[in-house]
Amino acid sequence: MAREKKKLAGPPPPAPWMSTFSDLMNLLLCFFVLLFSMSTVDAEKFQEMAASFISSFSILPNGGSAVGDGLLISNGVSQLNELSEYFSNMGLSDEGEQMKTMQEMMDAIEREELEKSEEMAKELENVLSENDMLSDIEIDFTSQYVELRLNGTILFGSGKADIRGEAVAFMNKLGDILKEYENCLIEVVGHTDNVPISNSKFANNTELSCFRAISVVEYLQNEKDIPAINLQPSGRGEYVPIASNDTPEGRAQNRRVEIKIHRTLE
């Protein structure tokens, strides 16, 4: 005859959800106590809140917990209102004011950075004027960098990426100017119009624009000893036009090289 299994004595174990719920309530209690411990606490209000927690929860010996007579639900709104008032007194609850203050700070930083870029742009404008180069270079700036915009025909022949011989003197003067900013990141970006390229050397306009940017970077690196780590070439092809490609004048504006001098962080 098979033996009967011996029945275990004692009450059945608590449901698994009770332990999880108990841990959650304990964590919430610790969280609010910690918030109050980091500030100047009104003793009377603290006692009221502690009494509210005690009346709302009864911690059982086996680690479970129970909600007492719906007090948590009935008192929940008033407790949240008290917490809202408390954080409001600390200046932490008005989200709109916080966002407004943060936006004002960001705007102030943006204006300061823009002013610094404007100063750099004026310096470059003076130097370019002294070298009679302003007619060939446009200057623009943002809060992050100052941009020198060159017409592509100054440096390159149609469909080519090698710097023209007659442009070497121009690049030499420009390189001397950029040498003064060799500790900044100097980004060289090539652009083209939307006319498809028709030679076997470059597959498309994007490739052509990349090689033109590389040619300028190599000149600055090899002839002016600007550190390679501070030079960054890239090509955007026909995809960032600044004028309409429907006219010869517009296409001429789009065939350009942009040199962006990113200001160093202070």
Side-chain angles (χ1 to χ4, degrees), residues 208-222:
L208 172 62
S209 65
C210 287
F211 275 91
R212 284 181 171 180
I214 291 172
S215 292
V216 174
V217 163
E218 288 180 343
Y219 184 91
L220 296 175
Q221 180 183 346
N222 298 330

PDB file of all heavy atoms in Angstrom, residues 208-222:
ATOM      1  N   LEU A 208      31.658  64.428 -56.523  1.00  0.00           N
ATOM      2  CA  LEU A 208      32.435  65.589 -56.945  1.00  0.00           C
ATOM      3  C   LEU A 208      32.586  66.589 -55.809  1.00  0.00           C
ATOM      4  O   LEU A 208      33.696  67.095 -55.554  1.00  0.00           O
ATOM      5  CB  LEU A 208      31.759  66.258 -58.149  1.00  0.00           C
ATOM      6  CG  LEU A 208      32.348  67.590 -58.605  1.00  0.00           C
ATOM      7  CD1 LEU A 208      33.792  67.436 -59.067  1.00  0.00           C
ATOM      8  CD2 LEU A 208      31.488  68.206 -59.710  1.00  0.00           C
ATOM      9  N   SER A 209      31.494  66.863 -55.113  1.00  0.00           N
ATOM     10  CA  SER A 209      31.554  67.843 -54.022  1.00  0.00           C
ATOM     11  C   SER A 209      32.457  67.359 -52.894  1.00  0.00           C
ATOM     12  O   SER A 209      33.165  68.165 -52.265  1.00  0.00           O
ATOM     13  CB  SER A 209      30.145  68.135 -53.493  1.00  0.00           C
ATOM     14  OG  SER A 209      29.571  66.991 -52.889  1.00  0.00           O
ATOM     15  N   CYS A 210      32.450  66.060 -52.620  1.00  0.00           N
ATOM     16  CA  CYS A 210      33.326  65.510 -51.579  1.00  0.00           C
ATOM     17  C   CYS A 210      34.795  65.691 -51.939  1.00  0.00           C
ATOM     18  O   CYS A 210      35.607  66.111 -51.098  1.00  0.00           O
ATOM     19  CB  CYS A 210      33.018  64.027 -51.366  1.00  0.00           C
ATOM     20  SG  CYS A 210      31.470  63.684 -50.514  1.00  0.00           S
ATOM     21  N   PHE A 211      35.153  65.387 -53.178  1.00  0.00           N
ATOM     22  CA  PHE A 211      36.547  65.501 -53.592  1.00  0.00           C
ATOM     23  C   PHE A 211      37.008  66.956 -53.633  1.00  0.00           C
ATOM     24  O   PHE A 211      38.180  67.245 -53.370  1.00  0.00           O
ATOM     25  CB  PHE A 211      36.748  64.819 -54.947  1.00  0.00           C
ATOM     26  CG  PHE A 211      36.997  63.343 -54.842  1.00  0.00           C
ATOM     27  CD1 PHE A 211      35.940  62.436 -54.891  1.00  0.00           C
ATOM     28  CD2 PHE A 211      38.273  62.846 -54.664  1.00  0.00           C
ATOM     29  CE1 PHE A 211      36.154  61.079 -54.782  1.00  0.00           C
ATOM     30  CE2 PHE A 211      38.510  61.482 -54.559  1.00  0.00           C
ATOM     31  CZ  PHE A 211      37.443  60.590 -54.614  1.00  0.00           C
ATOM     32  N   ARG A 212      36.106  67.867 -53.935  1.00  0.00           N
ATOM     33  CA  ARG A 212      36.478  69.285 -53.897  1.00  0.00           C
ATOM     34  C   ARG A 212      36.776  69.723 -52.459  1.00  0.00           C
ATOM     35  O   ARG A 212      37.743  70.451 -52.214  1.00  0.00           O
ATOM     36  CB  ARG A 212      35.348  70.127 -54.496  1.00  0.00           C
ATOM     37  CG  ARG A 212      35.288  70.046 -56.011  1.00  0.00           C
ATOM     38  CD  ARG A 212      34.176  70.897 -56.597  1.00  0.00           C
ATOM     39  NE  ARG A 212      34.268  70.975 -58.047  1.00  0.00           N
ATOM     40  CZ  ARG A 212      33.431  71.655 -58.830  1.00  0.00           C
ATOM     41  NH1 ARG A 212      32.399  72.297 -58.282  1.00  0.00           N
ATOM     42  NH2 ARG A 212      33.603  71.672 -60.141  1.00  0.00           N
ATOM     43  N   ALA A 213      35.965  69.277 -51.521  1.00  0.00           N
ATOM     44  CA  ALA A 213      36.223  69.603 -50.117  1.00  0.00           C
ATOM     45  C   ALA A 213      37.538  69.001 -49.650  1.00  0.00           C
ATOM     46  O   ALA A 213      38.315  69.637 -48.927  1.00  0.00           O
ATOM     47  CB  ALA A 213      35.062  69.104 -49.246  1.00  0.00           C
ATOM     48  N   ILE A 214      37.812  67.779 -50.091  1.00  0.00           N
ATOM     49  CA  ILE A 214      39.071  67.121 -49.713  1.00  0.00           C
ATOM     50  C   ILE A 214      40.267  67.884 -50.276  1.00  0.00           C
ATOM     51  O   ILE A 214      41.301  68.017 -49.611  1.00  0.00           O
ATOM     52  CB  ILE A 214      39.064  65.658 -50.192  1.00  0.00           C
ATOM     53  CG1 ILE A 214      38.047  64.853 -49.388  1.00  0.00           C
ATOM     54  CG2 ILE A 214      40.454  65.039 -50.082  1.00  0.00           C
ATOM     55  CD1 ILE A 214      37.821  63.449 -49.912  1.00  0.00           C
ATOM     56  N   SER A 215      40.150  68.396 -51.487  1.00  0.00           N
ATOM     57  CA  SER A 215      41.249  69.162 -52.095  1.00  0.00           C
ATOM     58  C   SER A 215      41.584  70.398 -51.262  1.00  0.00           C
ATOM     59  O   SER A 215      42.763  70.724 -51.050  1.00  0.00           O
ATOM     60  CB  SER A 215      40.878  69.576 -53.520  1.00  0.00           C
ATOM     61  OG  SER A 215      40.799  68.453 -54.367  1.00  0.00           O
ATOM     62  N   VAL A 216      40.557  71.095 -50.788  1.00  0.00           N
ATOM     63  CA  VAL A 216      40.790  72.284 -49.961  1.00  0.00           C
ATOM     64  C   VAL A 216      41.424  71.886 -48.629  1.00  0.00           C
ATOM     65  O   VAL A 216      42.379  72.528 -48.157  1.00  0.00           O
ATOM     66  CB  VAL A 216      39.465  73.037 -49.720  1.00  0.00           C
ATOM     67  CG1 VAL A 216      39.672  74.189 -48.747  1.00  0.00           C
ATOM     68  CG2 VAL A 216      38.896  73.548 -51.037  1.00  0.00           C
ATOM     69  N   VAL A 217      40.926  70.821 -48.036  1.00  0.00           N
ATOM     70  CA  VAL A 217      41.477  70.362 -46.750  1.00  0.00           C
ATOM     71  C   VAL A 217      42.937  69.947 -46.912  1.00  0.00           C
ATOM     72  O   VAL A 217      43.786  70.281 -46.073  1.00  0.00           O
ATOM     73  CB  VAL A 217      40.629  69.184 -46.205  1.00  0.00           C
ATOM     74  CG1 VAL A 217      41.389  68.419 -45.123  1.00  0.00           C
ATOM     75  CG2 VAL A 217      39.317  69.705 -45.644  1.00  0.00           C
ATOM     76  N   GLU A 218      43.252  69.218 -47.974  1.00  0.00           N
ATOM     77  CA  GLU A 218      44.635  68.792 -48.188  1.00  0.00           C
ATOM     78  C   GLU A 218      45.560  69.978 -48.391  1.00  0.00           C
ATOM     79  O   GLU A 218      46.717  69.967 -47.932  1.00  0.00           O
ATOM     80  CB  GLU A 218      44.704  67.846 -49.384  1.00  0.00           C
ATOM     81  CG  GLU A 218      44.113  66.465 -49.094  1.00  0.00           C
ATOM     82  CD  GLU A 218      44.202  65.547 -50.290  1.00  0.00           C
ATOM     83  OE1 GLU A 218      44.417  66.061 -51.428  1.00  0.00           O
ATOM     84  OE2 GLU A 218      44.050  64.322 -50.114  1.00  0.00           O
ATOM     85  N   TYR A 219      45.076  71.016 -49.061  1.00  0.00           N
ATOM     86  CA  TYR A 219      45.899  72.210 -49.245  1.00  0.00           C
ATOM     87  C   TYR A 219      46.199  72.855 -47.891  1.00  0.00           C
ATOM     88  O   TYR A 219      47.348  73.222 -47.605  1.00  0.00           O
ATOM     89  CB  TYR A 219      45.198  73.212 -50.164  1.00  0.00           C
ATOM     90  CG  TYR A 219      46.047  74.419 -50.467  1.00  0.00           C
ATOM     91  CD1 TYR A 219      46.882  74.434 -51.573  1.00  0.00           C
ATOM     92  CD2 TYR A 219      46.041  75.536 -49.632  1.00  0.00           C
ATOM     93  CE1 TYR A 219      47.689  75.545 -51.850  1.00  0.00           C
ATOM     94  CE2 TYR A 219      46.833  76.632 -49.890  1.00  0.00           C
ATOM     95  CZ  TYR A 219      47.668  76.641 -51.006  1.00  0.00           C
ATOM     96  OH  TYR A 219      48.465  77.726 -51.259  1.00  0.00           O
ATOM     97  N   LEU A 220      45.171  73.006 -47.060  1.00  0.00           N
ATOM     98  CA  LEU A 220      45.365  73.645 -45.752  1.00  0.00           C
ATOM     99  C   LEU A 220      46.287  72.799 -44.869  1.00  0.00           C
ATOM    100  O   LEU A 220      47.088  73.343 -44.100  1.00  0.00           O
ATOM    101  CB  LEU A 220      44.010  73.834 -45.063  1.00  0.00           C
ATOM    102  CG  LEU A 220      43.029  74.783 -45.761  1.00  0.00           C
ATOM    103  CD1 LEU A 220      41.685  74.781 -45.031  1.00  0.00           C
ATOM    104  CD2 LEU A 220      43.586  76.192 -45.837  1.00  0.00           C
ATOM    105  N   GLN A 221      46.188  71.496 -45.013  1.00  0.00           N
ATOM    106  CA  GLN A 221      47.020  70.615 -44.199  1.00  0.00           C
ATOM    107  C   GLN A 221      48.469  70.586 -44.693  1.00  0.00           C
ATOM    108  O   GLN A 221      49.412  70.699 -43.894  1.00  0.00           O
ATOM    109  CB  GLN A 221      46.435  69.196 -44.229  1.00  0.00           C
ATOM    110  CG  GLN A 221      47.232  68.184 -43.410  1.00  0.00           C
ATOM    111  CD  GLN A 221      46.648  66.783 -43.530  1.00  0.00           C
ATOM    112  OE1 GLN A 221      45.523  66.602 -44.001  1.00  0.00           O
ATOM    113  NE2 GLN A 221      47.410  65.788 -43.098  1.00  0.00           N
ATOM    114  N   ASN A 222      48.650  70.464 -45.999  1.00  0.00           N
ATOM    115  CA  ASN A 222      49.991  70.288 -46.544  1.00  0.00           C
ATOM    116  C   ASN A 222      50.748  71.602 -46.706  1.00  0.00           C
ATOM    117  O   ASN A 222      51.964  71.654 -46.490  1.00  0.00           O
ATOM    118  CB  ASN A 222      49.910  69.583 -47.904  1.00  0.00           C
ATOM    119  CG  ASN A 222      49.315  68.197 -47.778  1.00  0.00           C
ATOM    120  OD1 ASN A 222      49.447  67.533 -46.762  1.00  0.00           O
ATOM    121  ND2 ASN A 222      48.642  67.739 -48.842  1.00  0.00           N
TER     122      ASN A 222
END
